[in-house]
Amino acid sequence: MELITAWVGTLNGLVWGPPMLVLILGTGFFLMIGLRFMPLLKLGFGFRMLWRGRKQQGAGDITPYNALMTVLSATVGTGNIAGVATAIFLGGPGAIFWMWCTALVGMATKYAEAVLAMHYREVDGKGNHLGGPMYYIKLGLGRKWVWMATAFAVFGFLAGFGIGNTVQANSVAHAAQSAFGIPLWVSGVVMAVFSGLVLLGGIRRIGEVSAALVPFMAVTYVLGGLVVLATNLDQIGPALELIFVQAFSPTAAAGGFAGATVAAAIQFGVARGIFSNEAGLGSAPIAHAAAQSDDPVAQGTVAMIGTFIDTLVICSITGLVIVVSGAWTSGLNGAALSSAAFEQSLPGVGSYIVAIGLVLFAYTTILGWSVYGERCAEYLFGERIITPFRILWVLMIPVGALAQLDFIWLVADTLNALMAIPNLIALLLLSPVVFRLTQEYFERQPALADEAPLP
């Protein structure tokens, strides 16, 4: 087991090394340039499309709004609380700056993923709309690339049981135990029951539950963070200065913080940013392909809002709270660091905000990732796998709540990178399709966009 762990650790270091970070950022930057900065220039249009997407806009399984809520249910998870804290612990406050950079170019990546997922989607025998990297690789790149589509589906199927299921269940169970004294097995069984009830209804039920839970949990957590920032108003300016300065200069040791290089700030800022918003992994377009919309570009503009909300809003709140509170020098790591930062400014309340946020974020991630895992399984094995997959998914939740998951964390993190590789290659090869569809859309419907067409 030690040998296997060492081997996986070495593989993890390779797949999340500098070449992968360059591929992720480079792909996002290339797409942003090719789109002529459309994701940034038309951010307001994206929010209007999101608001309009509360109602059906075409063929599909769930409304465009519910598609984004399903994606956010999967992406807004432990990465927003524990992941941000880990990035700061390993890379210093400067890591936050690189998370922001990842999110900005990630908006273009998420947009392109959703456009391709909608453009190349299929309908199965039960009337479900299927899409995602495996479909736009198979249909967009042709027969000789089918092996890469299969590889993505295999990695996505396996990664789901790690990062999307057992790891999340473990986080919920331990957060509930430390904050409320609830036994691990009780949390596992309760999560399994509630997840099972939702999963029985498929993506439509998941979309409805996500639409109810995600806005509530996100707004509650953000408001708690804003209260902390309001109590430390005089520290926000120095905190921002610290973030920008240390993004380009080494972070000196302070208190329990051991210090960090600029390379560490970049590496962990980018890696944890991707872990949080999943731009480039290829997971989000699987849900966006089910949107009740007939226009890939319209859904793409909705998709890019997800990265903005996840990283530039929620992760920024966590990061700023940690820095302004001074807790980043405590030597704590992960959720414990976030909890200490909130508790320091809101004694008796702050730790509960983090605990409840972690429970809700992780629970909805279990729901959202079940969609991704199920679609990958269906691509590999056909419709007959759906019911067995859902049963297995529910049974693994209490297992994850009780298990020691250090090795599973490592494997899941590695599988996420392996998912990203075929997806990013496909995005680069199919980028002309994205650029063409985007140009045609805004030239065809400038009145709809309420803005001038792209130059």
Side-chain angles (χ1 to χ4, degrees):
M1 189 64 192
E2 289 181 3
L3 183 63
I4 294 173
T5 302
W7 184 83
V8 175
T10 302
L11 179 61
N12 183 269
L14 291 174
V15 296
W16 279 116
M20 169 60 82
L21 303 184
V22 169
L23 179 60
I24 290 172
L25 287 179
T27 300
F29 186 72
F30 170 77
L31 292 169
M32 184 68 81
I33 296 296
L35 291 167
R36 302 171 189 177
F37 296 93
M38 183 279 295
L40 302 180
L41 297 175
K42 296 194 181 292
L43 184 62
F45 174 66
F47 275 104
R48 289 199 295 277
M49 287 294 99
L50 174 61
W51 184 253
R52 189 174 298 175
R54 292 173 299 141
K55 297 181 180 179
Q56 182 172 350
Q57 302 293 311
D61 305 325
I62 53 178
T63 65
Y65 175 84
N66 282 5
L68 180 62
M69 292 304 108
T70 302
V71 170
L72 285 177
S73 73
T75 56
V76 178
T78 55
N80 298 80
I81 296 177
V84 175
T86 299
I88 295 172
F89 173 77
L90 296 171
I96 299 174
F97 172 84
W98 296 106
M99 288 186 75
W100 290 337
C101 292
T102 303
L104 288 174
V105 298
M107 288 176 64
T109 307
K110 271 280 180 74
Y111 168 82
E113 289 176 329
V115 168
L116 292 174
M118 291 287 292
H119 187 62
Y120 291 110
R121 66 180 178 176
E122 294 182 342
V123 180
D124 68 10
K126 295 184 178 181
N128 297 314
H129 288 70
L130 310 177
M134 52 280 200
Y135 292 97
Y136 54 71
I137 291 172
K138 181 182 73 171
L139 301 176
L141 295 180
R143 185 176 302 174
K144 66 180 180 180
W145 295 91
V146 168
W147 66 269
M148 198 165 72
T150 302
F152 174 87
V154 170
F155 295 142
F157 172 74
L158 295 175
F161 282 100
I163 206 67
N165 185 313
T166 52
V167 165
Q168 303 299 329
N170 197 264
S171 298
V172 170
H174 282 85
Q177 183 185 55
S178 62
F180 310 110
I182 299 173
L184 298 178
W185 71 269
V186 172
S187 296
V189 171
V190 170
M191 274 188 292
V193 170
F194 279 98
S195 298
L197 291 173
V198 175
L199 262 59
L200 285 174
I203 192 171
R204 292 173 179 83
R205 180 81 56 81
I206 292 171
E208 293 168 359
V209 172
S210 299
L213 277 180
V214 170
F216 167 77
M217 71 183 192
V219 169
T220 301
Y221 183 77
V222 168
L223 286 177
L226 290 175
V227 170
V228 172
L229 295 178
T231 61
N232 295 276
L233 206 57
D234 59 325
Q235 293 300 314
I236 294 179
L240 290 172
E241 181 181 0
L242 191 67
I243 289 169
F244 281 101
V245 169
Q246 297 196 355
F248 301 97
S249 62
T251 307
F257 181 72
T261 63
V262 175
I266 297 173
Q267 178 181 352
F268 294 109
V270 173
R272 292 297 111 183
I274 293 299
F275 175 76
S276 175
N277 61 50
E278 298 179 13
L281 292 191
S283 52
I286 296 174
H288 283 294
Q292 293 170 334
S293 174
D294 292 329
D295 201 305
V297 171
Q299 189 62 30
T301 61
V302 172
M304 69 190 189
I305 299 301
T307 302
F308 179 86
I309 294 171
D310 178 273
T311 307
L312 294 176
V313 176
I314 300 176
C315 286
S316 294
I317 290 290
T318 302
L320 285 172
V321 166
I322 290 172
V323 176
V324 300
S325 67
W328 68 277
T329 63
S330 65
L332 294 172
N333 189 13
L337 173 54
S338 299
S339 182
F342 273 83
E343 183 67 20
Q344 186 171 316
S345 299
L346 299 173
V349 178
S351 61
Y352 288 106
I353 292 175
V354 173
I356 293 171
L358 197 60
V359 168
L360 288 176
F361 287 2
Y363 170 67
T364 56
T365 297
I366 292 174
L367 299 181
W369 263 90
S370 72
V371 175
Y372 303 157
E374 180 180 307
R375 291 293 195 255
C376 288
E378 184 175 354
Y379 178 85
L380 294 169
F381 306 109
E383 297 170 29
R384 64 184 184 278
I385 197 66
I386 293 176
T387 299
F389 173 87
R390 292 176 183 175
I391 293 171
L392 181 60
W393 188 268
V394 172
L395 291 177
M396 288 302 295
I397 293 172
V399 173
L402 295 170
Q404 294 294 323
L405 294 183
D406 291 344
F407 178 69
I408 299 298
W409 261 106
L410 188 62
V411 172
D413 199 35
T414 305
L415 287 169
N416 275 351
L418 294 175
M419 286 173 62
I421 293 171
N423 180 54
L424 292 169
I425 293 172
L427 290 178
L428 291 172
L429 293 176
L430 292 172
S431 59
V433 178
V434 177
F435 301 153
R436 174 176 57 80
L437 291 173
T438 303
Q439 188 74 25
E440 289 174 355
Y441 178 85
F442 286 107
E443 286 178 347
R444 185 175 70 247
Q445 303 189 65
L448 174 63
D450 291 328
E451 297 174 38
L454 290 173

PDB file of all heavy atoms in Angstrom, residues 418-441:
ATOM      1  N   LEU A 418      -6.270  13.979 -14.832  1.00  0.00           N
ATOM      2  CA  LEU A 418      -6.358  13.102 -16.003  1.00  0.00           C
ATOM      3  C   LEU A 418      -7.635  13.364 -16.799  1.00  0.00           C
ATOM      4  O   LEU A 418      -7.663  13.159 -18.012  1.00  0.00           O
ATOM      5  CB  LEU A 418      -6.291  11.640 -15.563  1.00  0.00           C
ATOM      6  CG  LEU A 418      -4.945  11.201 -14.957  1.00  0.00           C
ATOM      7  CD1 LEU A 418      -5.025   9.774 -14.439  1.00  0.00           C
ATOM      8  CD2 LEU A 418      -3.820  11.329 -15.987  1.00  0.00           C
ATOM      9  N   MET A 419      -8.712  13.811 -16.118  1.00  0.00           N
ATOM     10  CA  MET A 419      -9.917  14.251 -16.825  1.00  0.00           C
ATOM     11  C   MET A 419      -9.631  15.482 -17.664  1.00  0.00           C
ATOM     12  O   MET A 419     -10.101  15.626 -18.791  1.00  0.00           O
ATOM     13  CB  MET A 419     -11.033  14.610 -15.828  1.00  0.00           C
ATOM     14  CG  MET A 419     -11.731  13.477 -15.148  1.00  0.00           C
ATOM     15  SD  MET A 419     -12.846  14.104 -13.864  1.00  0.00           S
ATOM     16  CE  MET A 419     -14.011  15.086 -14.839  1.00  0.00           C
ATOM     17  N   ALA A 420      -8.855  16.393 -17.084  1.00  0.00           N
ATOM     18  CA  ALA A 420      -8.636  17.692 -17.723  1.00  0.00           C
ATOM     19  C   ALA A 420      -7.849  17.574 -19.021  1.00  0.00           C
ATOM     20  O   ALA A 420      -8.098  18.328 -19.971  1.00  0.00           O
ATOM     21  CB  ALA A 420      -7.913  18.639 -16.759  1.00  0.00           C
ATOM     22  N   ILE A 421      -6.904  16.644 -19.086  1.00  0.00           N
ATOM     23  CA  ILE A 421      -6.006  16.574 -20.250  1.00  0.00           C
ATOM     24  C   ILE A 421      -6.768  16.363 -21.565  1.00  0.00           C
ATOM     25  O   ILE A 421      -6.619  17.161 -22.510  1.00  0.00           O
ATOM     26  CB  ILE A 421      -4.928  15.499 -20.038  1.00  0.00           C
ATOM     27  CG1 ILE A 421      -3.991  15.934 -18.899  1.00  0.00           C
ATOM     28  CG2 ILE A 421      -4.125  15.280 -21.317  1.00  0.00           C
ATOM     29  CD1 ILE A 421      -3.013  14.861 -18.456  1.00  0.00           C
ATOM     30  N   PRO A 422      -7.607  15.305 -21.693  1.00  0.00           N
ATOM     31  CA  PRO A 422      -8.338  15.154 -22.966  1.00  0.00           C
ATOM     32  C   PRO A 422      -9.312  16.291 -23.223  1.00  0.00           C
ATOM     33  O   PRO A 422      -9.522  16.689 -24.382  1.00  0.00           O
ATOM     34  CB  PRO A 422      -9.077  13.819 -22.799  1.00  0.00           C
ATOM     35  CG  PRO A 422      -9.087  13.538 -21.339  1.00  0.00           C
ATOM     36  CD  PRO A 422      -7.857  14.172 -20.783  1.00  0.00           C
ATOM     37  N   ASN A 423      -9.900  16.839 -22.160  1.00  0.00           N
ATOM     38  CA  ASN A 423     -10.847  17.946 -22.342  1.00  0.00           C
ATOM     39  C   ASN A 423     -10.151  19.191 -22.881  1.00  0.00           C
ATOM     40  O   ASN A 423     -10.649  19.846 -23.801  1.00  0.00           O
ATOM     41  CB  ASN A 423     -11.532  18.259 -21.017  1.00  0.00           C
ATOM     42  CG  ASN A 423     -12.527  19.394 -21.135  1.00  0.00           C
ATOM     43  OD1 ASN A 423     -13.428  19.372 -21.970  1.00  0.00           O
ATOM     44  ND2 ASN A 423     -12.353  20.422 -20.321  1.00  0.00           N
ATOM     45  N   LEU A 424      -8.993  19.534 -22.319  1.00  0.00           N
ATOM     46  CA  LEU A 424      -8.273  20.734 -22.764  1.00  0.00           C
ATOM     47  C   LEU A 424      -7.771  20.580 -24.197  1.00  0.00           C
ATOM     48  O   LEU A 424      -7.805  21.535 -24.983  1.00  0.00           O
ATOM     49  CB  LEU A 424      -7.104  21.012 -21.810  1.00  0.00           C
ATOM     50  CG  LEU A 424      -7.507  21.443 -20.390  1.00  0.00           C
ATOM     51  CD1 LEU A 424      -6.299  21.439 -19.466  1.00  0.00           C
ATOM     52  CD2 LEU A 424      -8.159  22.825 -20.404  1.00  0.00           C
ATOM     53  N   ILE A 425      -7.322  19.376 -24.546  1.00  0.00           N
ATOM     54  CA  ILE A 425      -6.898  19.131 -25.927  1.00  0.00           C
ATOM     55  C   ILE A 425      -8.073  19.349 -26.886  1.00  0.00           C
ATOM     56  O   ILE A 425      -7.937  19.984 -27.933  1.00  0.00           O
ATOM     57  CB  ILE A 425      -6.332  17.702 -26.070  1.00  0.00           C
ATOM     58  CG1 ILE A 425      -5.022  17.575 -25.291  1.00  0.00           C
ATOM     59  CG2 ILE A 425      -6.117  17.344 -27.544  1.00  0.00           C
ATOM     60  CD1 ILE A 425      -4.487  16.157 -25.199  1.00  0.00           C
ATOM     61  N   ALA A 426      -9.238  18.817 -26.496  1.00  0.00           N
ATOM     62  CA  ALA A 426     -10.430  18.979 -27.335  1.00  0.00           C
ATOM     63  C   ALA A 426     -10.835  20.447 -27.460  1.00  0.00           C
ATOM     64  O   ALA A 426     -11.230  20.899 -28.546  1.00  0.00           O
ATOM     65  CB  ALA A 426     -11.583  18.163 -26.759  1.00  0.00           C
ATOM     66  N   LEU A 427     -10.743  21.187 -26.375  1.00  0.00           N
ATOM     67  CA  LEU A 427     -11.098  22.610 -26.421  1.00  0.00           C
ATOM     68  C   LEU A 427     -10.202  23.367 -27.393  1.00  0.00           C
ATOM     69  O   LEU A 427     -10.675  24.223 -28.149  1.00  0.00           O
ATOM     70  CB  LEU A 427     -10.993  23.227 -25.022  1.00  0.00           C
ATOM     71  CG  LEU A 427     -12.035  22.801 -23.989  1.00  0.00           C
ATOM     72  CD1 LEU A 427     -11.744  23.463 -22.643  1.00  0.00           C
ATOM     73  CD2 LEU A 427     -13.447  23.165 -24.456  1.00  0.00           C
ATOM     74  N   LEU A 428      -8.917  23.063 -27.381  1.00  0.00           N
ATOM     75  CA  LEU A 428      -7.994  23.731 -28.300  1.00  0.00           C
ATOM     76  C   LEU A 428      -8.298  23.357 -29.746  1.00  0.00           C
ATOM     77  O   LEU A 428      -8.332  24.216 -30.629  1.00  0.00           O
ATOM     78  CB  LEU A 428      -6.553  23.365 -27.942  1.00  0.00           C
ATOM     79  CG  LEU A 428      -6.026  23.939 -26.616  1.00  0.00           C
ATOM     80  CD1 LEU A 428      -4.671  23.345 -26.274  1.00  0.00           C
ATOM     81  CD2 LEU A 428      -5.938  25.463 -26.670  1.00  0.00           C
ATOM     82  N   LEU A 429      -8.545  22.062 -30.010  1.00  0.00           N
ATOM     83  CA  LEU A 429      -8.792  21.612 -31.379  1.00  0.00           C
ATOM     84  C   LEU A 429     -10.139  22.091 -31.916  1.00  0.00           C
ATOM     85  O   LEU A 429     -10.285  22.326 -33.127  1.00  0.00           O
ATOM     86  CB  LEU A 429      -8.724  20.076 -31.439  1.00  0.00           C
ATOM     87  CG  LEU A 429      -7.347  19.452 -31.171  1.00  0.00           C
ATOM     88  CD1 LEU A 429      -7.444  17.930 -31.157  1.00  0.00           C
ATOM     89  CD2 LEU A 429      -6.328  19.911 -32.203  1.00  0.00           C
ATOM     90  N   LEU A 430     -11.125  22.234 -31.024  1.00  0.00           N
ATOM     91  CA  LEU A 430     -12.468  22.655 -31.448  1.00  0.00           C
ATOM     92  C   LEU A 430     -12.706  24.156 -31.239  1.00  0.00           C
ATOM     93  O   LEU A 430     -13.824  24.627 -31.452  1.00  0.00           O
ATOM     94  CB  LEU A 430     -13.527  21.859 -30.680  1.00  0.00           C
ATOM     95  CG  LEU A 430     -13.602  20.364 -31.011  1.00  0.00           C
ATOM     96  CD1 LEU A 430     -14.548  19.643 -30.058  1.00  0.00           C
ATOM     97  CD2 LEU A 430     -14.058  20.158 -32.459  1.00  0.00           C
ATOM     98  N   SER A 431     -11.683  24.877 -30.846  1.00  0.00           N
ATOM     99  CA  SER A 431     -11.853  26.315 -30.598  1.00  0.00           C
ATOM    100  C   SER A 431     -12.389  27.074 -31.804  1.00  0.00           C
ATOM    101  O   SER A 431     -13.190  28.019 -31.627  1.00  0.00           O
ATOM    102  CB  SER A 431     -10.528  26.934 -30.118  1.00  0.00           C
ATOM    103  OG  SER A 431      -9.498  26.755 -31.084  1.00  0.00           O
ATOM    104  N   PRO A 432     -12.027  26.727 -33.057  1.00  0.00           N
ATOM    105  CA  PRO A 432     -12.620  27.450 -34.193  1.00  0.00           C
ATOM    106  C   PRO A 432     -14.141  27.360 -34.220  1.00  0.00           C
ATOM    107  O   PRO A 432     -14.818  28.307 -34.640  1.00  0.00           O
ATOM    108  CB  PRO A 432     -11.997  26.762 -35.408  1.00  0.00           C
ATOM    109  CG  PRO A 432     -10.694  26.215 -34.917  1.00  0.00           C
ATOM    110  CD  PRO A 432     -10.973  25.785 -33.516  1.00  0.00           C
ATOM    111  N   VAL A 433     -14.701  26.225 -33.786  1.00  0.00           N
ATOM    112  CA  VAL A 433     -16.158  26.074 -33.730  1.00  0.00           C
ATOM    113  C   VAL A 433     -16.742  27.044 -32.718  1.00  0.00           C
ATOM    114  O   VAL A 433     -17.762  27.707 -32.979  1.00  0.00           O
ATOM    115  CB  VAL A 433     -16.537  24.619 -33.352  1.00  0.00           C
ATOM    116  CG1 VAL A 433     -18.055  24.473 -33.236  1.00  0.00           C
ATOM    117  CG2 VAL A 433     -15.977  23.633 -34.371  1.00  0.00           C
ATOM    118  N   VAL A 434     -16.088  27.156 -31.560  1.00  0.00           N
ATOM    119  CA  VAL A 434     -16.559  28.074 -30.514  1.00  0.00           C
ATOM    120  C   VAL A 434     -16.510  29.513 -31.015  1.00  0.00           C
ATOM    121  O   VAL A 434     -17.471  30.285 -30.848  1.00  0.00           O
ATOM    122  CB  VAL A 434     -15.698  27.934 -29.244  1.00  0.00           C
ATOM    123  CG1 VAL A 434     -16.137  28.938 -28.176  1.00  0.00           C
ATOM    124  CG2 VAL A 434     -15.785  26.517 -28.692  1.00  0.00           C
ATOM    125  N   PHE A 435     -15.406  29.900 -31.629  1.00  0.00           N
ATOM    126  CA  PHE A 435     -15.259  31.272 -32.117  1.00  0.00           C
ATOM    127  C   PHE A 435     -16.307  31.584 -33.190  1.00  0.00           C
ATOM    128  O   PHE A 435     -16.891  32.676 -33.198  1.00  0.00           O
ATOM    129  CB  PHE A 435     -13.844  31.484 -32.683  1.00  0.00           C
ATOM    130  CG  PHE A 435     -12.735  31.229 -31.694  1.00  0.00           C
ATOM    131  CD1 PHE A 435     -11.476  30.840 -32.123  1.00  0.00           C
ATOM    132  CD2 PHE A 435     -12.946  31.356 -30.324  1.00  0.00           C
ATOM    133  CE1 PHE A 435     -10.443  30.605 -31.226  1.00  0.00           C
ATOM    134  CE2 PHE A 435     -11.915  31.119 -29.409  1.00  0.00           C
ATOM    135  CZ  PHE A 435     -10.663  30.743 -29.866  1.00  0.00           C
ATOM    136  N   ARG A 436     -16.533  30.637 -34.091  1.00  0.00           N
ATOM    137  CA  ARG A 436     -17.504  30.860 -35.177  1.00  0.00           C
ATOM    138  C   ARG A 436     -18.924  31.005 -34.632  1.00  0.00           C
ATOM    139  O   ARG A 436     -19.651  31.935 -35.012  1.00  0.00           O
ATOM    140  CB  ARG A 436     -17.438  29.699 -36.184  1.00  0.00           C
ATOM    141  CG  ARG A 436     -18.500  29.763 -37.278  1.00  0.00           C
ATOM    142  CD  ARG A 436     -18.325  28.642 -38.285  1.00  0.00           C
ATOM    143  NE  ARG A 436     -18.362  27.319 -37.688  1.00  0.00           N
ATOM    144  CZ  ARG A 436     -19.486  26.680 -37.364  1.00  0.00           C
ATOM    145  NH1 ARG A 436     -20.669  27.259 -37.561  1.00  0.00           N
ATOM    146  NH2 ARG A 436     -19.436  25.468 -36.842  1.00  0.00           N
ATOM    147  N   LEU A 437     -19.329  30.100 -33.755  1.00  0.00           N
ATOM    148  CA  LEU A 437     -20.679  30.162 -33.191  1.00  0.00           C
ATOM    149  C   LEU A 437     -20.900  31.449 -32.412  1.00  0.00           C
ATOM    150  O   LEU A 437     -21.975  32.056 -32.463  1.00  0.00           O
ATOM    151  CB  LEU A 437     -20.921  28.950 -32.276  1.00  0.00           C
ATOM    152  CG  LEU A 437     -21.022  27.583 -32.969  1.00  0.00           C
ATOM    153  CD1 LEU A 437     -21.091  26.466 -31.926  1.00  0.00           C
ATOM    154  CD2 LEU A 437     -22.243  27.532 -33.885  1.00  0.00           C
ATOM    155  N   THR A 438     -19.864  31.876 -31.698  1.00  0.00           N
ATOM    156  CA  THR A 438     -19.968  33.109 -30.908  1.00  0.00           C
ATOM    157  C   THR A 438     -20.132  34.319 -31.809  1.00  0.00           C
ATOM    158  O   THR A 438     -21.004  35.173 -31.589  1.00  0.00           O
ATOM    159  CB  THR A 438     -18.710  33.285 -30.029  1.00  0.00           C
ATOM    160  OG1 THR A 438     -18.554  32.130 -29.202  1.00  0.00           O
ATOM    161  CG2 THR A 438     -18.834  34.521 -29.158  1.00  0.00           C
ATOM    162  N   GLN A 439     -19.294  34.396 -32.840  1.00  0.00           N
ATOM    163  CA  GLN A 439     -19.358  35.526 -33.768  1.00  0.00           C
ATOM    164  C   GLN A 439     -20.720  35.592 -34.454  1.00  0.00           C
ATOM    165  O   GLN A 439     -21.343  36.670 -34.540  1.00  0.00           O
ATOM    166  CB  GLN A 439     -18.242  35.386 -34.813  1.00  0.00           C
ATOM    167  CG  GLN A 439     -18.075  36.589 -35.732  1.00  0.00           C
ATOM    168  CD  GLN A 439     -17.423  37.762 -35.031  1.00  0.00           C
ATOM    169  OE1 GLN A 439     -16.700  37.575 -34.061  1.00  0.00           O
ATOM    170  NE2 GLN A 439     -17.699  38.967 -35.509  1.00  0.00           N
ATOM    171  N   GLU A 440     -21.196  34.450 -34.916  1.00  0.00           N
ATOM    172  CA  GLU A 440     -22.482  34.408 -35.613  1.00  0.00           C
ATOM    173  C   GLU A 440     -23.624  34.817 -34.694  1.00  0.00           C
ATOM    174  O   GLU A 440     -24.557  35.519 -35.115  1.00  0.00           O
ATOM    175  CB  GLU A 440     -22.727  32.995 -36.149  1.00  0.00           C
ATOM    176  CG  GLU A 440     -21.817  32.619 -37.312  1.00  0.00           C
ATOM    177  CD  GLU A 440     -21.994  31.165 -37.727  1.00  0.00           C
ATOM    178  OE1 GLU A 440     -22.760  30.433 -37.026  1.00  0.00           O
ATOM    179  OE2 GLU A 440     -21.374  30.740 -38.724  1.00  0.00           O
ATOM    180  N   TYR A 441     -23.567  34.392 -33.440  1.00  0.00           N
ATOM    181  CA  TYR A 441     -24.647  34.691 -32.494  1.00  0.00           C
ATOM    182  C   TYR A 441     -24.775  36.193 -32.262  1.00  0.00           C
ATOM    183  O   TYR A 441     -25.870  36.754 -32.360  1.00  0.00           O
ATOM    184  CB  TYR A 441     -24.377  33.976 -31.171  1.00  0.00           C
ATOM    185  CG  TYR A 441     -25.412  34.262 -30.107  1.00  0.00           C
ATOM    186  CD1 TYR A 441     -26.592  33.528 -30.031  1.00  0.00           C
ATOM    187  CD2 TYR A 441     -25.213  35.268 -29.160  1.00  0.00           C
ATOM    188  CE1 TYR A 441     -27.545  33.779 -29.062  1.00  0.00           C
ATOM    189  CE2 TYR A 441     -26.155  35.534 -28.175  1.00  0.00           C
ATOM    190  CZ  TYR A 441     -27.321  34.783 -28.137  1.00  0.00           C
ATOM    191  OH  TYR A 441     -28.258  35.049 -27.172  1.00  0.00           O
TER     192      TYR A 441
END
